[in-house]
Amino acid sequence: MSATHHILLVDDDQTLRDALAEQLALYDEFKVSSSPNATASLKAVQAERIDLVVMDVGLPDMDGREAVKLMRKNGFKGPVIMLTGQGSDADTVLGLEAGANDYVVKPFKFAVLLARIRAHLRQYEASEDAIFQVGPYTFHPGSKLLVSAKGSKTKLTEKETAILRFLYRAGRKPIARETLLQEVWGYNSQVTTHTLETHIYRLRQKIEPDPANARLLVTDAGGYRLNP
Protein backbone atom coordinates (compact mmCIF):
# COMPACT_ATOMS: atom_id res chain seq x y z
CA MET A 1 0.00 0.00 0.00
CA SER A 2 1.21 3.45 -0.87
CA ALA A 3 -0.21 6.09 1.46
CA THR A 4 -0.12 6.50 5.24
CA HIS A 5 -3.12 4.98 6.98
CA HIS A 6 -4.21 6.25 10.39
CA ILE A 7 -4.92 3.36 12.79
CA LEU A 8 -6.73 3.82 16.09
CA LEU A 9 -6.02 1.18 18.77
CA VAL A 10 -8.67 0.94 21.50
CA ASP A 11 -7.80 -1.28 24.48
CA ASP A 12 -7.62 -0.74 28.24
CA ASP A 13 -4.58 -3.03 28.44
CA GLN A 14 -1.81 -0.46 28.15
CA THR A 15 0.90 -3.08 27.72
CA LEU A 16 -0.86 -4.61 24.72
CA ARG A 17 -1.80 -1.19 23.33
CA ASP A 18 1.78 0.07 23.54
CA ALA A 19 3.19 -3.14 22.06
CA LEU A 20 0.83 -3.02 19.06
CA ALA A 21 1.49 0.69 18.55
CA GLU A 22 5.24 0.09 18.63
CA GLN A 23 5.06 -2.77 16.12
CA LEU A 24 2.73 -0.93 13.72
CA ALA A 25 4.93 2.18 13.90
CA LEU A 26 7.76 0.17 12.35
CA TYR A 27 5.86 0.35 9.04
CA ASP A 28 5.87 3.65 7.14
CA GLU A 29 2.37 2.91 5.85
CA PHE A 30 0.83 3.47 9.30
CA LYS A 31 0.25 6.37 11.63
CA VAL A 32 -0.95 5.11 15.02
CA SER A 33 -3.12 6.64 17.74
CA SER A 34 -4.54 4.91 20.80
CA SER A 35 -7.41 5.22 23.27
CA PRO A 36 -7.82 3.45 26.63
CA ASN A 37 -11.62 3.37 26.53
CA ALA A 38 -14.68 3.65 24.30
CA THR A 39 -15.46 7.26 25.20
CA ALA A 40 -12.03 8.46 24.09
CA SER A 41 -12.26 6.41 20.89
CA LEU A 42 -15.63 7.93 19.95
CA LYS A 43 -14.15 11.41 20.36
CA ALA A 44 -11.08 10.43 18.33
CA VAL A 45 -12.98 9.27 15.25
CA GLN A 46 -15.02 12.49 15.31
CA ALA A 47 -12.00 14.76 15.79
CA GLU A 48 -9.74 13.46 13.01
CA ARG A 49 -9.68 11.16 10.02
CA ILE A 50 -9.18 7.56 11.15
CA ASP A 51 -8.79 4.89 8.47
CA LEU A 52 -9.20 1.75 10.61
CA VAL A 53 -10.06 0.96 14.24
CA VAL A 54 -8.78 -2.00 16.25
CA MET A 55 -11.32 -2.26 19.09
CA ASP A 56 -11.24 -4.46 22.19
CA VAL A 57 -14.59 -5.89 23.27
CA GLY A 58 -13.99 -5.66 27.02
CA LEU A 59 -13.58 -1.94 27.69
CA PRO A 60 -14.01 -0.40 31.16
CA ASP A 61 -16.70 2.15 30.25
CA MET A 62 -18.69 0.36 27.54
CA ASP A 63 -18.85 -2.89 25.61
CA GLY A 64 -16.69 -2.46 22.51
CA ARG A 65 -19.55 -3.66 20.32
CA GLU A 66 -21.77 -0.86 21.62
CA ALA A 67 -18.97 1.60 20.85
CA VAL A 68 -18.82 0.29 17.28
CA LYS A 69 -22.60 0.75 16.94
CA LEU A 70 -22.24 4.37 18.04
CA MET A 71 -19.31 4.94 15.65
CA ARG A 72 -21.40 3.64 12.76
CA LYS A 73 -24.40 5.72 13.86
CA ASN A 74 -22.18 8.81 13.92
CA GLY A 75 -21.04 8.15 10.36
CA PHE A 76 -17.72 6.31 10.68
CA LYS A 77 -17.40 4.04 7.63
CA GLY A 78 -13.83 2.73 7.95
CA PRO A 79 -13.02 -0.89 8.83
CA VAL A 80 -13.26 -2.06 12.45
CA ILE A 81 -11.40 -5.14 13.71
CA MET A 82 -12.52 -6.36 17.11
CA LEU A 83 -10.24 -8.03 19.65
CA THR A 84 -11.76 -10.46 22.10
CA GLY A 85 -10.86 -13.18 24.55
CA GLN A 86 -14.08 -15.00 23.62
CA GLY A 87 -13.99 -16.84 20.30
CA SER A 88 -17.45 -18.40 20.20
CA ASP A 89 -19.66 -18.12 17.12
CA ALA A 90 -22.21 -16.14 19.14
CA ASP A 91 -19.59 -13.54 20.10
CA THR A 92 -18.45 -13.24 16.51
CA VAL A 93 -22.01 -12.77 15.27
CA LEU A 94 -22.68 -10.08 17.89
CA GLY A 95 -19.56 -8.20 16.85
CA LEU A 96 -20.33 -8.36 13.15
CA GLU A 97 -23.93 -7.33 13.68
CA ALA A 98 -22.70 -4.32 15.68
CA GLY A 99 -20.89 -3.14 12.55
CA ALA A 100 -17.43 -4.69 12.90
CA ASN A 101 -15.69 -6.06 9.83
CA ASP A 102 -13.61 -8.76 11.49
CA TYR A 103 -12.91 -10.56 14.76
CA VAL A 104 -9.47 -11.54 16.11
CA VAL A 105 -9.30 -13.77 19.18
CA LYS A 106 -6.69 -13.17 21.88
CA PRO A 107 -3.97 -14.31 22.10
CA PHE A 108 -3.01 -13.67 18.47
CA LYS A 109 0.12 -13.35 16.41
CA PHE A 110 0.96 -9.82 15.32
CA ALA A 111 1.55 -11.04 11.75
CA VAL A 112 -2.07 -12.26 11.60
CA LEU A 113 -3.46 -8.92 12.82
CA LEU A 114 -1.20 -7.05 10.40
CA ALA A 115 -2.45 -9.14 7.48
CA ARG A 116 -6.08 -8.53 8.50
CA ILE A 117 -5.46 -4.77 8.79
CA ARG A 118 -3.91 -4.60 5.32
CA ALA A 119 -6.63 -6.74 3.77
CA HIS A 120 -9.45 -4.60 5.18
CA LEU A 121 -7.74 -1.38 4.15
CA ARG A 122 -7.44 -2.71 0.59
CA GLN A 123 -11.12 -3.65 0.54
CA TYR A 124 -12.13 -0.28 1.99
CA GLU A 125 -10.08 1.69 -0.54
CA ALA A 126 -11.88 -0.13 -3.35
CA SER A 127 -15.31 0.66 -1.88
CA GLU A 128 -17.61 3.59 -2.53
CA ASP A 129 -17.29 4.65 1.12
CA ALA A 130 -13.54 5.24 0.90
CA ILE A 131 -12.17 8.65 1.96
CA PHE A 132 -8.60 9.75 1.25
CA GLN A 133 -6.43 12.70 2.21
CA VAL A 134 -5.00 14.39 -0.87
CA GLY A 135 -2.87 17.38 0.10
CA PRO A 136 -5.15 19.88 1.87
CA TYR A 137 -8.29 18.11 0.64
CA THR A 138 -10.43 15.23 1.82
CA PHE A 139 -11.12 13.17 -1.30
CA HIS A 140 -14.49 11.36 -1.57
CA PRO A 141 -14.30 9.26 -4.75
CA GLY A 142 -17.76 7.76 -4.22
CA SER A 143 -19.39 11.20 -4.43
CA LYS A 144 -16.71 12.67 -6.76
CA LEU A 145 -15.88 15.43 -4.30
CA LEU A 146 -12.85 17.21 -2.88
CA VAL A 147 -13.51 18.99 0.42
CA SER A 148 -11.12 21.65 1.66
CA ALA A 149 -10.11 22.14 5.30
CA LYS A 150 -12.62 25.02 5.45
CA GLY A 151 -15.40 22.79 4.14
CA SER A 152 -15.72 24.12 0.60
CA LYS A 153 -16.56 21.42 -1.94
CA THR A 154 -15.16 20.92 -5.43
CA LYS A 155 -17.06 18.63 -7.79
CA LEU A 156 -14.98 16.31 -9.97
CA THR A 157 -15.87 14.52 -13.17
CA GLU A 158 -15.79 10.74 -13.35
CA LYS A 159 -12.45 10.75 -15.20
CA GLU A 160 -10.88 13.30 -12.85
CA THR A 161 -11.96 11.14 -9.92
CA ALA A 162 -10.45 8.03 -11.54
CA ILE A 163 -7.16 9.84 -12.25
CA LEU A 164 -6.85 11.09 -8.66
CA ARG A 165 -7.75 7.71 -7.20
CA PHE A 166 -5.19 5.85 -9.30
CA LEU A 167 -2.42 8.36 -8.54
CA TYR A 168 -3.28 8.24 -4.83
CA ARG A 169 -2.90 4.47 -4.79
CA ALA A 170 0.51 4.83 -6.42
CA GLY A 171 1.71 7.01 -3.54
CA ARG A 172 4.62 9.20 -4.61
CA LYS A 173 5.56 6.94 -7.51
CA PRO A 174 5.20 8.58 -10.95
CA ILE A 175 2.74 6.90 -13.30
CA ALA A 176 3.43 6.95 -17.04
CA ARG A 177 0.88 8.66 -19.27
CA GLU A 178 0.24 5.42 -21.17
CA THR A 179 -0.48 3.57 -17.92
CA LEU A 180 -2.95 6.22 -16.78
CA LEU A 181 -4.67 6.13 -20.16
CA GLN A 182 -5.11 2.36 -19.95
CA GLU A 183 -6.30 2.44 -16.34
CA VAL A 184 -8.76 5.32 -16.72
CA TRP A 185 -9.99 4.97 -20.30
CA GLY A 186 -9.18 1.34 -21.04
CA TYR A 187 -7.93 0.16 -24.40
CA ASN A 188 -9.59 2.77 -26.59
CA SER A 189 -7.80 3.68 -29.80
CA GLN A 190 -9.75 6.95 -29.97
CA VAL A 191 -8.13 8.25 -26.78
CA THR A 192 -4.68 9.88 -26.95
CA THR A 193 -2.27 11.36 -24.44
CA HIS A 194 -3.69 14.76 -25.42
CA THR A 195 -7.00 13.67 -23.83
CA LEU A 196 -5.20 12.83 -20.59
CA GLU A 197 -3.24 16.08 -20.61
CA THR A 198 -6.49 18.03 -21.06
CA HIS A 199 -7.99 16.29 -18.01
CA ILE A 200 -4.82 16.90 -15.96
CA TYR A 201 -4.97 20.59 -16.94
CA ARG A 202 -8.60 20.87 -15.82
CA LEU A 203 -7.89 18.97 -12.61
CA ARG A 204 -5.05 21.32 -11.75
CA GLN A 205 -7.36 24.28 -12.27
CA LYS A 206 -9.54 22.83 -9.53
CA ILE A 207 -6.96 21.70 -6.98
CA GLU A 208 -3.84 23.83 -7.38
CA PRO A 209 -3.59 27.36 -5.88
CA ASP A 210 -1.26 28.17 -8.79
CA PRO A 211 -2.07 25.74 -11.63
CA ALA A 212 0.89 26.94 -13.71
CA ASN A 213 3.22 25.96 -10.87
CA ALA A 214 1.71 22.65 -9.75
CA ARG A 215 2.75 21.41 -6.32
CA LEU A 216 0.16 18.70 -5.65
CA LEU A 217 -0.31 17.00 -9.03
CA VAL A 218 3.14 17.19 -10.62
CA THR A 219 4.66 16.07 -13.91
CA ASP A 220 7.45 13.57 -13.34
CA ALA A 221 9.39 10.96 -15.35
CA GLY A 222 7.18 11.01 -18.42
CA GLY A 223 4.00 10.88 -16.37
CA TYR A 224 2.34 12.27 -13.26
CA ARG A 225 2.42 11.76 -9.51
CA LEU A 226 0.75 13.14 -6.40
CA ASN A 227 2.52 14.92 -3.56
CA PRO A 228 -0.05 13.96 -0.91
Side-chain angles (χ1 to χ4, degrees):
M1 280 176 285
S2 52
T4 301
H5 297 96
H6 193 171
I7 309 296
L8 176 65
L9 302 175
V10 189
D11 201 302
D12 61 332
D13 183 338
Q14 184 173 347
T15 301
L16 175 61
R17 205 169 65 238
D18 290 348
L20 287 177
E22 184 178 341
Q23 288 175 298
L24 287 169
L26 295 174
Y27 299 87
D28 291 340
E29 69 202 76
F30 300 124
K31 171 187 174 183
V32 184
S33 298
S34 64
S35 298
N37 55 53
T39 304
S41 72
L42 290 168
K43 290 178 180 178
V45 295
Q46 290 293 309
E48 54 187 329
R49 189 176 65 86
I50 302 293
D51 295 303
L52 181 144
V53 176
V54 177
M55 170 84 71
D56 187 36
V57 170
L59 297 171
D61 56 340
M62 186 188 306
D63 187 295
R65 290 165 294 210
E66 290 303 314
V68 173
K69 282 184 182 179
L70 288 174
M71 283 184 182
R72 297 303 191 204
K73 185 178 180 180
N74 293 337
F76 180 70
K77 296 183 182 298
V80 177
I81 299 175
M82 304 217 69
L83 303 180
T84 179
Q86 305 296 323
S88 72
D89 290 344
D91 283 297
T92 302
V93 168
L94 285 173
L96 297 176
E97 287 184 345
N101 299 81
D102 205 350
Y103 235 69
V104 175
V105 180
K106 299 177 182 178
F108 55 85
K109 292 182 178 179
F110 174 72
V112 172
L113 179 62
L114 178 61
R116 299 277 185 92
I117 288 172
R118 285 173 168 162
H120 284 290
L121 286 171
R122 284 195 300 270
Q123 291 173 13
Y124 177 65
E125 287 189 350
S127 75
E128 289 299 304
D129 291 328
I131 299 173
F132 309 114
Q133 194 69 35
V134 176
Y137 304 100
T138 304
F139 177 35
H140 302 250
S143 51
K144 302 181 181 66
L145 282 178
L146 282 174
V147 183
S148 73
K150 294 182 179 180
S152 61
K153 297 178 180 179
T154 301
K155 188 68 177 176
L156 302 175
T157 67
E158 182 180 345
K159 297 302 184 189
E160 289 167 349
T161 300
I163 290 168
L164 265 190
R165 191 168 192 159
F166 191 80
L167 290 175
Y168 176 87
R169 286 175 174 170
R172 296 179 182 271
K173 185 177 73 173
I175 300 299
R177 289 178 176 86
E178 292 74 16
T179 302
L180 264 179
L181 277 172
Q182 291 174 9
E183 291 293 334
V184 176
W185 279 271
Y187 293 93
N188 186 338
S189 60
Q190 304 299 316
V191 177
T192 66
T193 55
H194 177 70
T195 303
L196 172 62
E197 288 160 3
T198 299
H199 279 77
I200 293 290
Y201 172 81
R202 290 174 180 166
L203 194 48
R204 282 174 171 162
Q205 298 297 313
K206 294 181 177 182
I207 69 174
E208 298 281 1
D210 180 7
N213 184 28
R215 299 292 180 87
L216 181 58
L217 202 176
V218 300
T219 303
D220 188 10
Y224 302 100
R225 67 176 170 85
L226 277 180
N227 277 327

